[in-house]
Amino acid sequence: KEVGPAGTVAERKEVADLGITQWVLSNRVRVNFKPTDFEKNSIQVLARFGGGKLDQPLDKPGLDVFAQIVFNVGGLVAHSADDLDRLFAGKKLGVEFEVDEDAFTLAGTTTREDLLDQLRLLCAYLRFPGYRDEAERQFRKMLPILAMQMTTTPEGVFGTRGQRVIMGGDPRFGLDDPMKLGTYQTREVKDWLAPFLDQAALEVSIVGDFDP
């Protein structure tokens, strides 16, 4: 599917001391460019939108954990995750969705040669996420292992019970019972994320070995 007509740069700003170029595009998307020479021909792309866990429904603890997995495994409307691997075989790119404390993010690492495809893929995940039933089935198969990790490892216990305590009992952070995740359905993820994917302000940062 087409992702829309090309836009223009409506505003431009240079942050000289940080070596950052900032654009505001005609569709109001904000873009930050930061060239670096730390790693040859490696470029990081990060898109941030919405409020992440702060926008999570109070009555659905752990929905962020479920959402991250089914979103990433679900691919796109027209292509499964396996399809995308085949379509982009030989290219260095990918998109990883995460629910951070204060934003939803889509991130990937690519090269100069594959940057355009990386941006197209990121745009496709914003516009046409798959929400496939197969992703939910895969999640349910892995839930017993995930629940064990959450309850028996230091990282798991801190990320569930510890985080809940630190955040003053806020149900959007942490999780009391990992098996609660097995009660969620993919449609709940779509209902939660769709408005932010469609309407939230978007900021894209591109950092690495490239010419702005």
Side-chain angles (χ1 to χ4, degrees):
K1 295 182 179 181
E2 294 296 325
V3 294
T8 59
V9 180
E11 299 176 30
R12 184 191 303 265
K13 178 182 178 182
E14 301 289 339
V15 185
D17 57 332
L18 298 178
I20 296 174
T21 300
Q22 296 179 314
W23 288 356
V24 177
L25 305 182
S26 53
N27 61 2
R28 309 312 298 170
V29 171
R30 293 183 174 272
V31 186
N32 306 305
F33 297 101
K34 170 68 175 178
T36 69
D37 57 3
F38 299 138
E39 187 174 354
K40 185 173 178 59
N41 201 21
S42 180
I43 303 170
Q44 309 287 327
V45 180
L46 174 68
R48 290 171 54 89
F49 60 97
K53 288 186 180 181
L54 295 177
D55 282 326
Q56 183 168 314
L58 292 173
D59 62 343
K60 296 184 185 297
L63 182 61
D64 56 314
V65 178
F66 179 71
Q68 286 181 169
I69 295 175
V70 299
F71 190 100
N72 286 317
V73 176
L76 302 174
V77 171
H79 303 288
S80 69
D82 289 340
D83 291 338
L84 292 173
D85 287 341
R86 288 191 291 269
L87 284 169
F88 294 115
K91 293 179 178 288
K92 184 177 181 181
L93 49 82
V95 173
E96 184 77 14
F97 171 75
E98 289 190 7
V99 182
D100 287 347
E101 290 188 0
D102 60 351
F104 304 105
T105 65
L106 289 165
T109 300
T110 188
T111 64
R112 296 176 187 173
E113 296 79 13
D114 298 331
L115 178 57
L116 182 57
D117 281 335
Q118 173 68 55
L119 293 172
R120 285 172 171 157
L121 184 61
L122 188 150
C123 190
Y125 270 99
L126 284 167
R127 296 291 306 282
F128 312 114
Y131 301 116
R132 293 172 178 270
D133 291 338
E134 63 200 61
E136 184 177 324
R137 290 194 295 269
Q138 288 187 42
F139 177 84
R140 299 199 188 288
K141 289 180 180 179
M142 65 181 292
L143 179 56
I145 296 175
L146 180 62
M148 183 175 66
Q149 292 173 340
M150 287 181 168
T151 55
T152 61
T153 67
E155 296 85 356
V157 173
F158 178 79
T160 53
R161 298 177 186 176
Q163 192 177 49
R164 176 70 59 82
V165 172
I166 290 174
M167 301 306 294
D170 190 324
R172 296 171 295 184
F173 297 85
L175 184 64
D176 290 329
D177 180 12
M179 296 308 294
K180 167 72 174 176
L181 301 176
T183 67
Y184 292 133
Q185 298 180 321
T186 303
R187 61 174 175 78
E188 295 175 270
V189 175
K190 183 176 182 179
D191 290 344
W192 177 33
L193 297 181
F196 299 105
L197 288 162
D198 186 50
Q199 301 172 13
L202 176 66
E203 183 172 26
V204 180
S205 297
I206 303 174
V207 180
D209 183 18
F210 67 95
D211 181 347

